[in-house]
Amino acid sequence: MRRTEFQIDSDGGREEIERFLAEMSFGFLGTAGADGAPSMTPLNYVYYGGKLYFHGSRIGEKMARLQADPRVTFMVAKEFAIIPSYFTDPLMACPATAYFKSVRIDGRAVVVQEPAEKAAALEAFMRKLQPEGGYKTIDASDPDYLPRLKGVAVVRIDPDRVTGKFKFGQNLKQPVRDSVTAQLTERGLPLDAETAALMERYCPHAKGILGD
């Protein structure tokens, strides 16, 4: 990453990264086939117990790729605000940008075989995507669930490296940052107020995960 002021690493910003992964539920899985050709697959995931899980069919292109090469990259990102060029420059287009959070996980995919772990991961999915309940808890000892657990593939990503990029104007000088924050507040799009608050939070001159 060239702009280190935007970097959130797994040491200093682990809680920030884990909070973001827990908030989100959709990402992109990068795999390589037997011939080395890359592929991206959009899918739902759950971050549970410090690991990332996804599920799907036991057969198909995705599973064939994981069997050929378990090394994967997984990306999660959320765009918070488009920052127009005229927020900081009345003439030039160059300052136009976007503020966002992204996390990249490089690691290895492991097909989960243990029914108890599969059940726990799928239950975590349900709690995340259907928090209102309305279903019987997924339990590996439940005879109603056992055949379904056998029929579904659950994959865990064991990370080797986790990095994050949270871009919220950390490279701006304070007067410019204050101006952008004020214009976001005035514009009032759905995520503008949250973006302005995050700009203050990740300001390199304030105490936080990016230093004092």
Side-chain angles (χ1 to χ4, degrees), residues 81-101:
I82 297 295
I83 307 300
S85 61
Y86 53 77
F87 269 23
T88 55
D89 191 310
L91 181 63
M92 302 298 290
C94 306
T97 189
Y99 289 171
F100 62 89
K101 292 182 180 182

Side-chain angles (χ1 to χ4, degrees), residues 8 12-13 16 200-212:
I8 308 292
E16 291 287 330
E200 293 299 320
R201 180 176 183 178
Y202 298 128
C203 170
H205 302 300
K207 291 184 177 180
I209 61 173
L210 294 180
D212 293 345

Side-chain angles (χ1 to χ4, degrees), residues 39-50:
S39 178
M40 295 291 291
T41 304
L43 48 79
N44 288 111
Y45 76 91
V46 66
Y47 184 72
Y48 168 72

